[in-house]
Each structure stands twice: as C-alpha cells, then as structure tokens.
Amino acid sequence: MTATTLSPSRTTGRAPGRSPAAIAGYAALDLRRQARDRVQMFFVVGLPAFMFVVFGLGSDEPAGSANVAMYVMVSMAAYGAVTATTGVAGSAAIERTNGWGRQLALTPLRPLSFLAMKTGLAMVVAAVPVTLIYAIGAATGASGTTSDWVLSATIVWAGSALFAVYGLAVCLAFRSDNSVGIASGLIVIMAFLGNVFTPMSGLILDIGRFTPLYGYAALARYPLTDGWTPTGTHDPLWLPVANVLAWTMIFAAVALWGLRRGQERV
C-alpha cells in the first residue's frame, strides 16, 4: 500500500475530521448529549416557560402594539435562549481546555472549527425554549401583530448568538470547571439589570442600559414597544443596537485573547 493511497488529500481533498459529514456527525452526537442533560434542559426550557406562565399568563393589558402577555413572553424566551447559548458555548471552552480537548487535538478537527460547531449547536438548543414559549404564548392569549411575532422571535433567536460569544469569553478567560456556573450565574444578575425580569426605573435603569442583556432584550421587544419601557421612558433604536454591537466586540476580543493565551501554554 503506497502513501498515495493513505493520503486524504488525494481522495476527498480534506482530512476526515474536517469533512462536513464528520463535523455533522459529531454535532448530532453532542446534541443528543445536551438533550439528555435534564438539569441543563430544565434551566434552559422549563424554568423560562414556568416564569412566563406565572408572570405573563392572562395579562391582557396593552403593551405597545401587543399585550403584556406577549411582552413577558418575549422577555422569558430571550432569557431561555441566552441561558442555552451561554451554557453550551461555555462548555465548549471547558472541553477545549480539559482532557476532552487533548483528545480532540489528536483529530484533524481545528480549534476554530470546534468552537464554530459548538456555537452552531448552541443556536439549535436556543431555538427550543423560544419555540416552546412562543407556542405557549400563542395558546394562552399573548397577542400582537404578525410582524411583532415574526420580528421578535427572529431577534430573540439570532441575538442570543451574542451570549454564545459571552460564554466562550468567560470560560476561556477563567479556565475553571466552575466557569460555566459563573457565566450562567452572571446571566441572572444581568437579566435583572437588563429589564428582563421586572421593569426598572431611575438610576438602576440608567445603569442597566449599559449592561449586555439590556440591549438584546430591548431590541427583541422593539417591534412591540417601539422603544417605550413600562416606566414611560423611551429608547431610540440606535441605543440597543449600539449596546449589542459594543458587547459583541468586547466578548469577541476577550474570547480571542483567552484562546490565544491557551495556545501559548501548549
């Protein structure tokens, strides 16, 4: 048998571990593993859905072009989505730096390909709480225009990618088995400051506008509220957009720094 026969570049043109089929196969296995993690799925899917039922069910008061039930629905779907992307993407950083990362280093799967695959997986998992909570809302009286439903769901799901980058940044920076818990715990604090759980006002609201979850949640609710908060203040569209862009750059810079620092130690 000659070297030509063994060379993957002479047959498929790429190493086996870099082929789309191999990456898709690994992603499917990892997705099944995520689905079997009952504790994680409770916090990602069950808890936000429960909170919507408790705080949003039957709230028919108007909220912009929708009602309060839909306002709460969007907020809880956003919380579930960011919990999902933070946890899944953050676990990728831990796997990368621990024993599993050394196993992956023996395969042709490149570090950036691995992180990209995990980010994509996080977005798939994030679609679960968004779909479930929107379905519950549609069945229990949440109402709004067609554009409210379509645009808010799209922003909630797509915008949660910011927190995949956040999860990677925190876990690559701390490089500890507890870093996923730290990142998830900070999400709860940011949700309070970001006007996700309860309406803020005054100084707390002014501070909250600079926190990562504020811009994301405000942007998701913008189709409904046109920027008006429950306390009567107004955010121009550029404010949540600038918030999201700024935090995306910050988290991406921290994640790249953490990744390069890890490579320097190898």
Side-chain angles (χ1 to χ4, degrees):
M1 186 176 293
T2 65
T4 301
T5 306
L6 295 174
S7 175
S9 61
R10 299 296 183 90
T11 54
T12 62
R14 59 169 64 91
R18 294 177 192 169
S19 70
I23 294 175
Y26 178 79
L29 289 172
D30 203 14
L31 182 60
R32 286 199 290 269
R33 181 178 67 84
Q34 298 287 343
R36 289 195 299 266
D37 189 339
R38 295 179 182 178
V39 174
Q40 174 178 282
M41 294 310 292
F42 169 76
F43 284 103
V44 168
V45 181
L47 183 60
F50 173 76
M51 292 173 69
F52 167 66
V53 171
V54 171
F55 297 110
L57 203 65
S59 300
D60 294 326
E61 295 84 0
S65 59
N67 61 6
V68 171
M70 187 170 187
Y71 182 96
V72 176
M73 179 192 74
V74 174
S75 299
M76 293 304 103
Y79 175 69
V82 301
T83 302
T85 53
T86 297
V88 176
S91 67
I94 298 303
E95 291 172 8
R96 185 77 194 133
T97 56
N98 289 343
W100 181 235
R102 289 190 289 272
Q103 292 293 324
L104 289 173
L106 300 175
T107 74
L109 186 63
R110 292 177 177 175
L112 289 179
S113 298
F114 172 73
L115 294 178
M117 183 273 295
K118 280 286 193 175
T119 301
L121 180 64
M123 298 303 295
V124 172
V125 177
V128 178
V130 176
T131 302
L132 176 63
I133 294 170
Y134 269 64
I136 295 173
T140 56
S143 65
T145 65
T146 301
S147 62
D148 290 342
W149 286 88
V150 174
L151 289 176
S152 64
T154 301
I155 296 170
V156 166
W157 179 75
S160 65
L162 164 61
F163 290 87
V165 183
Y166 158 79
L168 289 172
V170 172
C171 294
L172 286 170
F174 284 97
R175 295 183 176 274
S176 163
D177 291 339
N178 298 322
S179 56
V180 175
I182 294 171
S184 299
L186 289 174
I187 285 291
V188 178
I189 297 173
M190 289 190 290
F192 277 106
L193 291 174
N195 240 16
V196 175
F197 290 152
T198 184
M200 298 293 181
S201 61
L203 178 62
I204 298 298
L205 179 61
D206 293 336
I207 295 172
R209 285 190 170 101
F210 294 95
T211 61
L213 255 172
Y214 186 90
Y216 164 66
L219 199 59
R221 295 189 298 245
Y222 213 92
L224 289 64
T225 64
D226 198 31
W228 289 98
T229 69
T231 55
T233 59
H234 181 263
D235 293 330
L237 182 58
W238 65 264
L239 192 151
V241 171
N243 178 290
V244 169
L245 291 177
W247 282 109
T248 299
M249 290 187 290
I250 292 170
F251 292 147
V254 174
L256 287 173
W257 168 77
L259 187 62
R260 289 172 181 167
R261 184 184 63 162
Q263 291 172 341
E264 289 172 358
R265 290 180 178 180
V266 177

